[in-house]
Amino acid sequence: VQSGAKSKWRNASGSEADAGAAALREEVLATIRRDGPVTFAAWMERALYHPEHGYYSSGRAQIGRAGDYFTNVSVGPLFGRLMAAQFREMWEVMGRPEEFTVVEQGAHSGEFARDVLEAARDWEQLRYCICEPFPVLEARQRETLAEFTTKTRWCSAPAGLGGFVGVHFSNELFDALPVHVVRWTGAEWLERYVGERDGEFQWVDLALSSERLTERVAAIPHPLPDGYVTEVNLAALDVIADIAQQLTRGFVVVVDYGFARDEFYAPHRSSGTLRSYSGHRVFDSPLELMGAADITTHVEWTSVIEQAQSCGLQVAGFADQHHFITGLLAAGLVPPNEATSGRALQTLLHPAQLGMKFQYLVLTKGVSSKPQLAGLQFARC
Ligand SMILES: C[S@@+](CC[C@H](N)C(=O)[O-])C[C@H]1O[C@@H](n2cnc3c(N)ncnc32)[C@H](O)[C@@H]1O
């Protein structure tokens, strides 16, 4: 046992949300008592996606000012409007196919989809499909998108798409995927599991849980200080592989925060990027608020790109949000009005706000490998 998480967890209000998180915590503690420690990835999977009580899967997650954290989507409809313009240009670059589907994964309450569909009312060929594994979120999305029933459909996972022409889009999906946490002892890598002591979750360091993880940690650059803790996101690689398999022709746009491999695994980042958010407060130990808080890590972009390439996708470009949105505006894709000059634009664009926080990875399949896209015109790679 390496360290204990001093629990700040409370069930003070007795509200439904607290009851769900409490039930989850008790269930996972009981499983650990019975079967022994679980990998952090399995623990995080339950914390966020337990079928009944997970932070996201229960519908408890609140995004926005009154919730736990902000995203581009919660800034308002402008983000969807800007991306709708980029999607339309992609459709044009592809030679205006008869049908063009925006497939969104991680759509949460469906606001982004609504913003895109509203901005693109006159775009006949547009179809929208949400990949949503959680019934409570699908129900919310159907309500949000009630006026677009002829253009929308749902599937529970990319495998259910049966191939598509268009663009796969995600905003902050990859940062919410369960990760393995590993620790460099100075001589070897161990994996951080979650155990239990005196009714609290405890970190426990054990051997790496799989061959696949062993292969991935071998790619982490050295030297690193003893006790260095970091994450490996195997789920991100699976998501990319699933999307690549389903995309017949078109684009993949991944919007998220992260670093290239050398920066992600820089020696100074000795406690990794794993964070937990509740009520806009950051908690360093995710073990404190199981089921009641968001848990997130930065994306390690180099591995995502390598995986995409090995699955037959090409990199069209990579840009930070500031440059991507500046490119869209400079190309005149979005007519200037109050929505492109107000506070929402400043929040998305300003380098000290969200402008430098997010990056855009644009991938292609069956499209000219360096398509001329407005969002990528100022990209550095
Ligand atoms: C950080 S939130 C982002 C929500 C939204 N895109 C936004 O930007 O406001 C992550 C979302 O990804 C969803 N998610 C996680 N794994 C998923 C999967 N395999 N398929 C679809 N959605 C998933 C979660 O349920 C959650 O709604």
Coordinates of all heavy atoms in Angstrom, one line a residue, residues 49 56-57 63 69 71-74 104-109 111 131-134 137 156 158 170-173 175-177 239 294, ligand 1:
Y49 N -18.8 5.3 -15.4 CA -19.7 4.6 -16.3 C -20.4 3.3 -15.7 O -20.9 2.5 -16.5 CB -19.0 4.2 -17.6 CG -18.3 5.4 -18.2 CD1 -16.9 5.5 -18.3 CD2 -19.0 6.5 -18.6 CE1 -16.2 6.6 -18.8 CE2 -18.4 7.7 -19.1 CZ -17.0 7.7 -19.2 OH -16.4 8.8 -19.7
Y56 N -21.3 9.8 -15.2 CA -21.9 10.1 -16.5 C -23.1 9.2 -16.8 O -24.2 9.7 -17.1 CB -20.9 9.9 -17.6 CG -19.9 11.1 -17.7 CD1 -18.6 10.8 -17.5 CD2 -20.3 12.4 -17.9 CE1 -17.6 11.9 -17.5 CE2 -19.4 13.4 -18.0 CZ -18.1 13.2 -17.8 OH -17.2 14.2 -17.8
S57 N -23.0 7.9 -16.6 CA -24.1 7.0 -17.0 C -25.3 7.1 -16.2 O -26.4 6.8 -16.7 CB -23.6 5.6 -16.9 OG -22.9 5.4 -15.7
I63 N -22.6 19.8 -16.6 CA -21.5 20.6 -17.3 C -22.0 22.0 -17.4 O -23.2 22.2 -17.7 CB -21.2 20.0 -18.7 CG1 -20.9 18.5 -18.5 CG2 -20.1 20.7 -19.3 CD1 -20.6 17.8 -19.8
Y69 N -17.7 21.6 -14.4 CA -16.7 22.1 -15.2 C -17.3 22.7 -16.5 O -18.4 22.3 -16.8 CB -15.6 21.1 -15.5 CG -16.1 19.9 -16.3 CD1 -16.1 19.8 -17.7 CD2 -16.7 18.8 -15.6 CE1 -16.7 18.7 -18.3 CE2 -17.3 17.7 -16.3 CZ -17.2 17.7 -17.6 OH -17.8 16.6 -18.3
T71 N -17.1 23.3 -20.8 CA -16.5 22.8 -22.1 C -16.8 23.9 -23.1 O -17.5 24.8 -22.9 CB -17.1 21.5 -22.5 OG1 -18.5 21.7 -22.8 CG2 -17.0 20.4 -21.4
N72 N -16.2 23.6 -24.3 CA -16.5 24.5 -25.5 C -18.0 24.6 -25.7 O -18.6 25.6 -26.0 CB -15.9 24.0 -26.7 CG -14.4 24.3 -26.8 OD1 -14.0 25.3 -26.4 ND2 -13.6 23.3 -27.4
V73 N -18.7 23.4 -25.5 CA -20.1 23.4 -25.8 C -20.9 24.2 -24.8 O -21.8 24.9 -25.2 CB -20.6 21.9 -25.7 CG1 -22.1 21.8 -26.0 CG2 -19.8 21.0 -26.7
S74 N -20.4 24.2 -23.6 CA -21.2 25.0 -22.6 C -21.0 26.5 -22.7 O -21.7 27.3 -22.0 CB -20.9 24.5 -21.1 OG -19.5 24.4 -20.9
E104 N -21.4 11.9 -33.8 CA -20.8 12.5 -32.6 C -20.7 11.5 -31.5 O -21.7 10.7 -31.2 CB -21.6 13.7 -32.1 CG -20.9 14.4 -30.9 CD -21.7 15.6 -30.3 OE1 -22.8 15.9 -30.8 OE2 -21.1 16.2 -29.4
Q105 N -19.6 11.4 -30.8 CA -19.5 10.5 -29.7 C -19.1 11.3 -28.4 O -18.2 12.2 -28.5 CB -18.3 9.5 -30.0 CG -18.5 8.1 -29.3 CD -17.5 7.1 -29.8 OE1 -16.8 7.3 -30.8 NE2 -17.4 6.0 -29.1
G106 N -19.8 11.1 -27.3 CA -19.6 11.9 -26.2 C -20.5 13.2 -26.2 O -20.2 14.3 -25.8
A107 N -21.8 13.0 -26.7 CA -22.7 14.1 -27.0 C -23.3 14.7 -25.8 O -24.0 15.7 -25.9 CB -23.7 13.7 -28.1
H108 N -23.3 14.0 -24.7 CA -23.8 14.4 -23.4 C -25.3 14.7 -23.6 O -26.1 13.9 -23.8 CB -23.0 15.5 -22.8 CG -23.2 15.5 -21.3 ND1 -22.7 14.5 -20.5 CD2 -23.8 16.4 -20.5 CE1 -23.0 14.7 -19.3 NE2 -23.7 15.9 -19.2
S109 N -25.7 16.0 -23.5 CA -27.2 16.3 -23.5 C -27.6 16.7 -24.9 O -28.8 17.0 -25.1 CB -27.5 17.5 -22.6 OG -27.1 17.2 -21.3
E111 N -26.5 19.2 -26.9 CA -26.5 20.7 -27.2 C -25.7 21.0 -28.5 O -26.1 21.8 -29.3 CB -25.9 21.5 -26.1 CG -26.9 21.8 -24.9 CD -26.5 20.9 -23.8 OE1 -25.8 19.9 -24.0 OE2 -27.0 21.1 -22.7
C131 N -23.5 8.5 -31.2 CA -23.1 7.2 -30.6 C -23.2 7.3 -29.1 O -22.4 8.0 -28.5 CB -21.6 6.8 -30.9 SG -21.3 6.2 -32.5
E132 N -24.2 6.7 -28.5 CA -24.5 6.9 -27.1 C -24.8 5.6 -26.4 O -25.8 5.0 -26.6 CB -25.7 7.9 -26.9 CG -26.0 8.2 -25.5 CD -24.8 8.7 -24.7 OE1 -24.3 9.8 -25.0 OE2 -24.3 8.0 -23.9
P133 N -23.9 5.2 -25.5 CA -24.1 3.9 -24.8 C -25.1 4.0 -23.6 O -25.5 3.0 -23.1 CB -22.7 3.5 -24.3 CG -21.9 4.8 -24.3 CD -22.5 5.7 -25.3
F134 N -25.4 5.2 -23.1 CA -26.1 5.3 -21.9 C -27.6 5.8 -22.1 O -27.8 6.9 -22.6 CB -25.4 6.3 -20.9 CG -24.0 5.9 -20.8 CD1 -22.9 6.8 -21.2 CD2 -23.6 4.7 -20.3 CE1 -21.6 6.4 -21.0 CE2 -22.3 4.3 -20.1 CZ -21.3 5.2 -20.5
L137 N -28.7 9.3 -21.1 CA -28.2 10.5 -21.9 C -28.9 10.5 -23.3 O -29.3 11.5 -23.9 CB -26.7 10.4 -22.1 CG -25.9 10.6 -20.8 CD1 -24.4 10.6 -21.0 CD2 -26.3 12.0 -20.1
S156 N -25.5 2.7 -30.2 CA -24.8 2.6 -28.9 C -23.3 2.7 -29.0 O -22.6 3.0 -28.0 CB -25.3 1.4 -28.1 OG -25.0 0.2 -28.9
P158 N -19.7 2.8 -32.1 CA -19.4 3.0 -33.5 C -19.6 1.7 -34.3 O -20.0 1.8 -35.5 CB -17.9 3.3 -33.5 CG -17.7 4.0 -32.2 CD -18.6 3.3 -31.2
S170 N -15.7 14.6 -31.9 CA -15.8 14.5 -30.4 C -15.2 15.7 -29.8 O -14.2 16.2 -30.2 CB -15.2 13.2 -29.9 OG -13.8 13.2 -30.2
N171 N -15.9 16.2 -28.7 CA -15.3 17.3 -27.9 C -15.2 16.7 -26.5 O -16.2 16.4 -25.9 CB -16.2 18.5 -27.9 CG -15.6 19.7 -27.2 OD1 -14.6 20.2 -27.7 ND2 -16.1 20.1 -26.1
E172 N -14.0 16.6 -26.1 CA -13.7 16.1 -24.7 C -14.2 14.7 -24.4 O -14.8 14.4 -23.4 CB -14.2 17.1 -23.6 CG -13.4 18.4 -23.6 CD -13.5 19.1 -22.3 OE1 -13.3 18.4 -21.3 OE2 -13.7 20.3 -22.2
L173 N -14.1 13.8 -25.4 CA -14.4 12.4 -25.2 C -13.2 11.7 -24.7 O -13.2 11.0 -23.7 CB -14.9 11.8 -26.5 CG -14.9 10.2 -26.5 CD1 -16.0 9.7 -25.6 CD2 -15.1 9.7 -27.9
D175 N -10.6 12.7 -23.1 CA -10.1 13.0 -21.7 C -10.9 12.3 -20.7 O -10.6 12.4 -19.5 CB -10.0 14.5 -21.5 CG -11.3 15.2 -21.4 OD1 -12.1 14.8 -20.6 OD2 -11.6 16.1 -22.2
A176 N -12.0 11.7 -21.1 CA -12.9 11.1 -20.1 C -12.9 9.6 -20.1 O -13.8 8.9 -19.6 CB -14.4 11.6 -20.3
L177 N -11.9 9.1 -20.9 CA -11.8 7.6 -21.0 C -11.0 7.0 -19.8 O -10.0 7.7 -19.4 CB -11.2 7.2 -22.3 CG -12.0 7.7 -23.6 CD1 -11.2 7.4 -24.8 CD2 -13.3 7.0 -23.6
V239 N -10.8 3.4 -29.2 CA -11.8 4.3 -29.8 C -11.4 4.7 -31.2 O -12.2 4.6 -32.1 CB -12.1 5.5 -28.9 CG1 -12.9 6.6 -29.6 CG2 -12.7 5.1 -27.6
D294 N -16.2 14.5 -11.8 CA -15.6 14.1 -13.1 C -14.2 13.6 -12.8 O -13.5 14.1 -11.9 CB -15.6 15.3 -14.0 CG -15.0 15.0 -15.4 OD1 -15.3 13.9 -15.8 OD2 -14.4 15.8 -15.9
Ligands
LIG1 C1 -16.2 15.4 -20.7 S1 -17.8 15.0 -21.2 C2 -17.9 16.0 -22.7 C3 -19.3 16.2 -23.1 C4 -19.6 17.1 -24.3 N1 -18.9 16.6 -25.5 C5 -19.1 18.5 -24.1 O1 -18.0 18.9 -24.6 O2 -19.7 19.3 -23.3 C6 -17.4 13.4 -21.9 C7 -18.7 12.7 -22.4 O3 -18.2 11.5 -23.1 C8 -19.2 10.5 -22.9 N2 -18.6 9.1 -23.2 C9 -17.6 8.5 -22.5 N3 -17.3 7.3 -23.1 C10 -18.1 7.2 -24.2 C11 -18.3 6.3 -25.2 N4 -17.6 5.2 -25.3 N5 -19.2 6.5 -26.2 C12 -20.0 7.7 -26.2 N6 -19.9 8.6 -25.2 C13 -18.9 8.4 -24.2 C14 -19.6 10.7 -21.4 O4 -20.8 10.1 -21.1 C15 -19.7 12.2 -21.4 O5 -21.0 12.6 -21.8

